[in-house]
Each structure stands twice: as structure tokens, then as C-alpha cells.
Amino acid sequence: KGREYRAAIEPEKVNSPTEFFSSAYQEAKVQLREILLASLQSGKRETKGLSTKEKIQLLRENPNNVIAFCADRGRGKTTAMLSFSNALEALSDSPKSDSATSLFWGDIATINDDLQNIRFEVLSPVDPAAMENSDSVLQQVISQMFENICKKIETGVDNRAFDDISDKFQKCAQAIDSLYKDPKTRTSLIEDELEQIAEMGESAKLLLLLHELVDRYLDFMCGKYAKCCLVVQIDDADMDIGRAYQILEDMRKYLGLPRVIVLMATNIQQLETTVEQHFLQEYEHGLKYSQSMITVERCHDIAVLYLEKAIPHTRRIYLPDIDKTIRQHLSRVRVVYEDKDKDTDKNKEENNILASDGAYQKQLLELLYRKTGMVFTFEEDYLHNLLPKHLRELSQFLSFFSNMKDL
């Protein structure tokens, strides 16, 4: 109680078998293990003596590193992503704690996986809807990284190490700026055109520049922990209709790096629709002709195929739904709604505002009876129409009725 309108970030729940999102968290851990193993394998490759072209080619061969928590509006995808990233950060706070690591991985990781001491540097979530029109996800990522570096410098770290990494930041920032520079602002002077050609060369190598920056950043931040990964979080990319496709392109082209994990919270159907709109605009002229090979259905198919490449099906973690769970008897759902003003020394059942003896429907209908005097019956395999069908509705339902006096 008191947190109904905020994301309930509880990293300890990620390891709880009784948590409603338990199956989703387990699947996310399986995908995380695959990404980490590929990253460790990539780190063993010898790159000395390779040309720039060969290094870039190796980076492009890195497997997909996206884990997307997928659900409709109000189903808890942001909460799931933030809880998962906080659990990774908690592992980093005690990298030598075997018990914490064993609890997190359970039976998913084996001793041979060599994942015991991996540390995670977690960046704050990037919300594309809150970005300025001229901003990009890449700019947001390196901005956060630079801010973290500056904070660490303030703690008394040797400034000589900062001088080297600051040069990497500057080169990346320039390359990113050249990617998003408005062509209309360019002049026709020969000197400027030659400078633009040089900038284009830098942007072509942006993948390599970012890889070098991430390596230096993680070495700087993690110190002796050689096994360290950067976690980038992107929230509600599907809500930024104008930039959703560009966000996916930036992720696919430039963030698919070793030692980088991208967490997303998104409505995959909405994202698919947004990407489809992009291709409809790209093929606008072809759609005008009835005999053209380009059709609305073809644009939809292109969007689906593109999204499968950017976020493969195996990397999509679909969150359980309250209505579906109850109708299909997938599990017994109970709600624990704690009053924060009560004695925190008591266990959760004693602090629970709802009835402790019963499942989801019985708990909520009993609350309705206490507050209104109305009695409702329900079927075990059907969610009553008066009851909330997803987490956001549930939080608002509880907030409204819990503040009413009992009859």
C-alpha cells in the first residue's frame, strides 16, 4: 500500500518460485546465460594483427543480445525489467558470494559455464518518449556511461586512466553526431565536404569505436573483475512511434556487442505496428499503383520479418496474464497487499490487508463485500467481470477500495 502507482521493483522476487512472474524470470535467466556464454567465448578470440574490416566483421557475427519483456499496457513489463536488472546489480554488489549467485542461477547454469563471478554494470533505463527530438538511444547510453565515469573519478581514481577513456568518448560522440546530422545544415564548401567524408568514415567504424569504449569503460569501472558486462535498459520503445524503427536499428547495428546485454520492456504487437508504419511510409509511392508488387500486406510481412531479426522469438519473454492464468488453471494466484504503516516486523500474511485464506477472486470479492456489503459469486475457471484483469487495474482497484471504510 502506498506504492500502487509506481513500479514495484523487488529484485529478491526474481529468485522466488512463488512470484507471479517466476516463469518469465526463469526464461530470462536462460536467455541471459546464452548471451553471457557467447560473450565469454567472443572474449577469447585473438584480434591482434587483424585489420579494421576484419574486427568489424567479427563484431557483426556476435549473436543477438536482446532480452525483451513483452506484455500489453499495464501488465507489469517495466516492473519485470527493472526487477531483473536490479537483481543483476545485486549480484555485482557481492561478486564473491557463492550463495547469492547459486540462488540466482539455480539449475540453469553449471559449474563449467564459468558465470560465478560475472559483474554487471547496469545503466538507468532509457525512455525514448522522454528524449528530445534530436536525441538518440546511443547518445543516451554514452552520456550515462560518461556520467558514471565522472562520478568514479570524484572518488579519487587516478585521472591518468580517465584521459585515455575520455578520448574514446569524444570519438564515439562525434561519430554518433555525424549519423544524426541533418543533411540540410551542410554547406557546399569543399573543405566542409571533405570534413563530412571523414566524419562518414568515422560513423562507418562506430561499431568498433563503441566496442573499444565499452571494453575500456568496463575495465575502468570494474577494476580487477575481468568478467564484467554492461546492461542497457530501454523502456517502452513502442510508444515512440516516430523513432521506434530507428531505436531498433541502433540496437541491431551498434549495441549488439560482446559484454553488452540489452533489456527491453515493450508491447511487441504495438512495436510491430509501429515498424509496419515505417515501411508503409518508405514504400508510399509504390502503394499508389494497383499493379505494384508493394502492398499493405507485403509491408506487414516485411515488418514481422524485420522484428524477428531485431528481437528473435526466443529472446521475447512473454509475461503471464492474470485473466488467462485463472481461466486455464495455470497456477493458483494470490495477492499480498501490505500496509506499510503497520508493524514491519510482522510477516507478510499478518500485514496483508486482503484475506489470507483464498485465491485471487475470493480475496478481492471479500474486499468488495467488506467495503460495499455486496455479495458476488464466481466460477473457478472464469475471472469475474468486476475484477481487474491486469496488474495496473489491480493496483488502482486496491488503492480505491482499501481507502474506503469497512461497513
Side-chain angles (χ1 to χ4, degrees):
K1 188 175 181 180
R3 298 169 55 192
E4 293 88 351
Y5 301 100
R6 294 180 292 171
I9 305 171
E10 298 178 306
E12 66 278 1
K13 295 289 186 67
V14 171
N15 303 319
S16 172
T18 60
E19 165 66 15
F20 186 57
F21 290 157
S22 175
S23 59
Y25 289 140
Q26 288 299 107
E27 180 58 30
K29 292 176 185 179
V30 171
Q31 300 305 319
L32 176 64
R33 173 181 175 271
E34 290 185 8
I35 294 171
L36 291 176
L37 291 177
S39 182
L40 291 173
Q41 188 64 32
S42 177
K44 296 176 182 178
R45 292 177 178 174
E46 182 59 52
T47 58
K48 289 182 179 179
L50 296 180
S51 65
T52 298
K53 179 181 178 181
E54 290 171 329
K55 290 179 181 179
I56 293 175
Q57 183 60 37
L58 278 178
L59 291 176
R60 294 198 185 281
E61 293 174 2
N62 194 58
N64 189 283
N65 62 344
V66 177
I67 299 176
F69 292 92
C70 305
D72 290 337
R73 298 284 130 221
R75 262 64 175 184
K77 55 188 179 295
T78 298
T79 294
M81 180 186 73
L82 294 178
S83 295
F84 192 75
S85 66
N86 274 255
L88 296 180
E89 201 164 24
L91 285 179
S92 303
D93 293 337
S94 54
K96 292 185 179 180
S97 174
D98 293 336
S99 60
T101 304
S102 300
L103 181 63
F104 179 84
W105 290 112
D107 298 330
I108 294 173
T110 65
I111 297 176
N112 295 330
D113 286 346
D114 198 26
L115 304 179
Q116 300 302 311
N117 294 319
I118 289 186
R119 181 173 174 179
F120 300 92
E121 279 293 322
V122 181
L123 300 182
S124 299
V126 176
D127 185 354
M131 296 192 310
E132 299 295 333
N133 292 333
S134 58
D135 285 348
S136 71
V137 168
L138 296 180
Q139 289 169 324
Q140 291 285 318
V141 168
I142 68 167
S143 175
Q144 285 193 42
M145 291 167 64
F146 187 75
E147 184 178 353
N148 292 343
I149 287 283
C150 291
K151 288 180 180 178
K152 194 169 182 68
I153 288 293
E154 292 174 358
T155 64
V157 179
D158 189 354
N159 286 354
R160 288 176 297 181
F162 175 75
D163 293 336
D164 180 49
I165 197 171
S166 62
D167 180 61
K168 298 291 183 184
F169 273 109
Q170 187 174 12
K171 288 182 178 180
C172 281
Q174 290 173 345
I176 292 171
D177 286 342
S178 69
L179 280 179
Y180 292 96
K181 185 179 291 184
D182 188 351
K184 295 179 181 179
T185 63
R186 295 175 177 170
T187 65
S188 58
L189 295 177
I190 294 178
E191 292 82 5
D192 289 337
E193 289 176 351
L194 292 175
E195 184 179 341
Q196 291 161 18
I197 293 172
E199 288 179 350
M200 290 168 62
E202 285 296 310
S203 64
K205 294 185 290 186
L206 178 57
L207 181 67
L208 184 58
L209 290 171
L210 283 170
H211 174 58
E212 293 173 351
L213 175 62
V214 168
D215 276 351
R216 296 291 180 86
Y217 172 82
L218 292 175
D219 291 344
F220 186 90
M221 297 297 292
C222 301
K224 62 182 178 180
Y225 296 105
K227 293 189 295 182
C228 186
C229 289
L230 179 70
V231 180
V232 177
Q233 301 182 84
I234 302 175
D235 190 19
D236 286 340
D238 55 288
M239 295 297 289
D240 193 340
I241 297 174
R243 283 185 294 200
Y245 176 79
Q246 188 59 54
I247 291 168
L248 290 173
E249 278 291 89
D250 286 346
M251 286 169 41
R252 186 180 67 84
K253 289 181 179 179
Y254 304 114
L255 292 180
L257 298 167
R259 304 181 74 185
V260 174
I261 299 157
V262 180
L263 301 182
M264 291 186 72
T266 189
N267 181 337
I268 203 72
Q269 287 77 25
Q270 174 66 27
L271 192 59
E272 182 181 297
T273 302
T274 304
V275 173
E276 181 181 336
Q277 288 299 314
H278 167 80
F279 287 111
L280 287 172
Q281 292 175 3
E282 290 293 307
Y283 293 110
E284 181 181 4
H285 295 293
L287 290 168
K288 294 178 180 179
Y289 304 100
S290 58
Q291 301 301 319
S292 172
M293 292 177 62
I294 302 300
T295 63
V296 174
E297 291 78 9
R298 179 59 179 159
C299 288
H300 173 76
D301 292 340
I302 293 173
V304 171
L305 292 172
Y306 172 82
L307 207 53
E308 287 178 357
K309 183 176 183 179
I311 311 175
H313 283 286
T314 54
R315 297 282 195 251
R316 301 177 190 179
I317 312 299
Y318 290 95
L319 301 183
D321 182 81
I322 294 176
D323 186 23
K324 181 179 178 181
T325 300
I326 290 176
R327 283 189 288 105
Q328 298 184 4
H329 297 282
L330 298 179
S331 64
R332 188 172 184 267
V333 181
R334 289 184 64 253
V335 181
V336 177
Y337 186 46
E338 301 174 44
D339 190 343
K340 65 177 183 179
D341 295 326
K342 287 189 176 182
D343 186 2
T344 56
D345 292 333
K346 295 181 179 180
N347 61 44
K348 291 186 176 182
E349 294 300 338
E350 292 176 335
N351 277 346
N352 194 2
I353 297 173
L354 303 176
S356 58
D357 57 335
Y360 184 83
Q361 299 203 81
K362 183 177 179 181
Q363 286 180 295
L364 298 187
L365 292 177
E366 192 274 340
L367 177 64
L368 280 177
Y369 172 72
R370 279 167 35 206
K371 303 297 182 179
T372 66
M374 293 186 288
V375 178
F376 297 93
T377 59
F378 65 92
E379 299 293 333
E380 292 291 343
D381 58 350
Y382 179 78
L383 182 60
H384 198 288
N385 292 334
L386 287 176
L387 299 182
K389 293 180 173 58
H390 56 76
L391 294 179
R392 185 170 296 159
E393 282 184 358
L394 175 61
S395 64
Q396 295 171 1
F397 178 95
L398 293 174
S399 177
F400 179 82
F401 284 103
S402 66
N403 290 323
M404 293 175 60
K405 293 183 179 179
D406 290 354
L407 294 179

